[in-house]
Amino acid sequence: MTHVLDPNALDGAGSQDTAPGAPPGPFADVTRSGDAFRAFLHGLPGVDQVGAEIRAKVLGTRSIKTTAKAWAIDTAISMVDLTTLEGADTPGKVRSLAAKARRPDPEDLTCPSVAAVCVYGDLAGVAKEAVQGTGIKVAAVATAFPSGRASRAVKLADVRDAVANGADEIDMVIDRGAFLAGRYLDVFDEIVAVKEACGPAHLKVILETGELVTYDNVRRASWLAMLAGSDFIKTSTGKVSPAATLPVCLVMLEAVRDFRAATGRQVGLKPAGGIRTTKDAIKHLVLVNETAGADWLSPDWFRLGASSLLNDLLLQRQKLRTGHYSGPDHVSVD
């Protein structure tokens, strides 16, 4: 689909002195001006739309054996960012979600815990207390989620407040208006500032791919976010359709793979929105393995942003163990 980017072929590349907030290693000069950054991003290899969609479709039809399916289900459970992002969220709902995150199947202690609980920043403290001592992370959405329409000062205050409340990870949204208008340095500088405001917390950068229109824009936004220091790139807020599609994930997986090849730094990926079934989750795991490689098949590098997905994973897991499906009361209604 695409070749690994050769940093030595880039105009102005080659400086190894990376200042705080500057892109890594061979790309340290690409943000020296708006024109230089535009030239770099628009010089990335174009995405073959038809090829991407065909490859994603082919990989999505892969069948796996029963033993591999059992592994895939447990791996997917361990990668879930169990999410509630509603205006009606309460501390009680967050505690209930955290209990499910710790013990997804209370009747089966071999069932793994999920990777994280994802909430609004004002409830991060409730979630932090509820998962204390488990290793489960608390992710908080910030920067005027989901629209991203606020001043930078407000966005940074939002981030600092979430981290102060106990968030281990921040899921920020980029300014899609600025990106689509070609103000790439503005978007870059904002991500750098948010990364600094995160302190010890990891940063996931939400591209909201459903609003980026083209796969080329998805690739450009992925590289922009990674150059700015993101720890993860994330497809969507889950509030815009389309959200996480397989072709979009393919493009983003190629981006994280090529970025590591060019810089030596590994960045994670989080598809979110529309991933509801075990079949959906397994399709994504196959895509990860076949595109970026097995190094990304870990909750440290791949997450699934979801709310209803976990229930289906649990029902399919029970089916593999017992040979029959449990009733709907086997899983909680979130």
Side-chain angles (χ1 to χ4, degrees):
M1 285 272 316
T2 186
H3 298 290
V4 173
L5 201 65
D6 179 6
N8 296 317
L10 294 169
D11 178 38
S15 172
Q16 297 298 313
D17 297 323
T18 304
F27 303 105
D29 291 339
V30 300
T31 57
R32 66 186 182 276
S33 70
D35 287 343
F37 203 25
R38 172 185 290 274
F40 169 76
L41 293 175
H42 284 260
L44 292 169
V47 178
D48 176 356
Q49 178 178 343
V50 174
E53 291 174 354
I54 290 175
R55 178 164 172 76
K57 184 176 181 178
V58 168
L59 290 175
T61 61
R62 289 273 181 90
S63 60
I64 60 175
K65 296 179 180 178
T66 301
T67 52
K69 186 175 182 180
W71 172 87
I73 288 173
D74 277 6
T75 299
I77 291 172
S78 75
M79 292 173 167
V80 167
D81 280 8
L82 194 56
T83 302
T84 182
L85 296 171
E86 302 298 334
D89 285 344
T90 64
K93 182 176 181 180
V94 171
R95 292 188 188 98
S96 176
L97 200 72
K100 185 170 183 176
R102 294 195 311 267
R103 288 278 182 84
D105 185 348
E107 297 177 4
D108 183 359
L109 300 185
T110 68
C111 182
S113 301
V114 305
V117 173
C118 186
V119 297
Y120 278 110
D122 63 313
L123 290 168
V126 176
K128 186 73 170 180
E129 183 179 359
V131 300
Q132 189 171 6
T134 64
I136 297 170
K137 304 298 184 184
V138 173
V141 296
T143 66
F145 177 96
S147 70
R149 309 307 307 176
S151 70
R152 187 171 299 180
V154 168
K155 292 179 180 180
L156 295 179
D158 195 16
V159 171
R160 295 188 187 105
D161 184 61
V163 174
N165 285 341
D168 304 297
E169 302 171 353
I170 295 294
D171 289 26
M172 73 165 285
V173 288
I174 66 167
D175 184 337
R176 283 88 74 192
F179 179 88
L180 291 170
R183 302 201 319 270
Y184 301 131
L185 271 183
D186 289 349
V187 181
F188 175 89
D189 289 341
E190 186 160 277
I191 296 172
V192 170
V194 169
K195 175 67 174 173
E196 183 179 1
C198 283
H202 281 197
L203 176 62
K204 304 194 200 86
V205 177
I206 307 170
L207 308 182
E208 198 65 290
T209 54
E211 294 183 340
L212 296 187
V213 185
T214 68
Y215 295 139
D216 284 342
N217 275 341
V218 172
R219 175 165 288 165
R220 290 169 190 148
S222 298
W223 272 84
L224 186 157
M226 293 186 292
L227 290 168
S230 63
D231 298 297
F232 265 72
I233 51 175
K234 179 178 171 182
T235 61
S236 327
T237 61
K239 307 296 184 181
V240 170
S241 182
T245 68
L246 284 176
V248 159
C249 289
L250 173 64
V251 172
M252 294 174 71
L253 284 164
E254 290 177 343
V256 298
R257 177 199 66 197
D258 293 353
F259 185 80
R260 188 179 73 169
T263 68
R265 186 168 79 85
Q266 187 163 339
V267 176
L269 174 64
K270 177 180 173 180
I275 305 172
R276 297 185 176 90
T277 68
T278 299
K279 186 178 294 185
D280 292 336
I282 291 176
K283 286 179 180 180
H284 280 83
L285 295 184
V286 170
L287 200 67
V288 171
N289 188 64
E290 296 298 320
T291 307
D295 286 352
W296 271 267
L297 286 174
S298 156
D300 291 336
W301 303 111
F302 191 74
R303 300 283 184 83
L304 295 162
S307 52
S308 60
L309 170 64
L310 182 58
N311 280 351
D312 193 67
L313 287 166
L314 293 173
L315 290 173
Q316 294 296 331
R317 190 177 190 274
Q318 180 77 357
K319 170 68 163 53
L320 283 180
R321 289 178 59 246
T322 66
H324 60 81
Y325 286 106
S326 298
D329 59 348
H330 179 74
V331 294
S332 61
V333 178
D334 302 316

